[in-house]
Amino acid sequence: RGGTIGTHPSHSRRGIHSTSVVSGDALDMADTFSRRHLGPNDEDTKLMLQSIGFDSFESLVNSTVPANILTSTPLSLQPAMSESQALTAIRSMSDKNDVMKSYIGMGYY
């Protein structure tokens, strides 16, 4: 984790922290999503679930997902990709798009 931001006394009191990490090359394809993601910790998750009346994600899912679509069978998914792999795959898909001229709103001829 980074250090406390600034020198103002209220910054350390409020627990504001920097999560930035200096990279040797700002343009490298380092997979940094998980480093940048500031998801809830276990205690925050427990408090959020309790605030809506649940003690676990499983009980939340079981009460919100209809039983006829809820499955215990593992999903057949492709392996997870890194951030840079996903961006490359998305770019590859988008490169297949044909850019066309839109005539919507130009009148009917």
Side-chain angles (χ1 to χ4, degrees):
R1 296 251 193 228
T4 302
I5 295 175
T7 56
H8 193 277
S10 68
H11 286 168
S12 60
R13 210 173 40 244
R14 285 187 265 164
I16 298 173
H17 296 278
S18 168
T19 58
S20 64
V21 175
V22 177
S23 172
D25 181 357
L27 301 176
D28 65 1
M29 288 298 288
D31 293 310
T32 58
F33 176 79
S34 60
R35 182 174 51 80
R36 293 189 321 260
H37 181 67
L38 301 176
N41 61 32
D42 291 341
E43 184 62 28
D44 291 338
T45 300
K46 182 179 176 182
L47 290 171
M48 286 187 276
L49 285 167
Q50 286 176 347
S51 74
I52 57 174
F54 295 98
D55 60 356
S56 68
F57 279 116
E58 185 176 351
S59 61
L60 171 63
V61 169
N62 288 334
S63 75
T64 55
V65 177
N68 63 334
I69 64 170
L70 190 61
T71 181
S72 60
T73 307
L75 299 176
S76 177
L77 302 173
Q78 295 178 4
M81 292 184 206
S82 67
E83 181 179 8
S84 60
Q85 289 170 324
L87 290 171
T88 299
I90 291 168
R91 169 61 69 187
S92 175
M93 285 185 261
S94 69
D95 286 343
K96 295 175 185 174
N97 290 336
D98 291 326
V99 178
M100 310 293 272
K101 185 167 184 163
S102 173
Y103 292 100
I104 295 174
M106 301 294 287
Y108 182 78
Y109 296 98

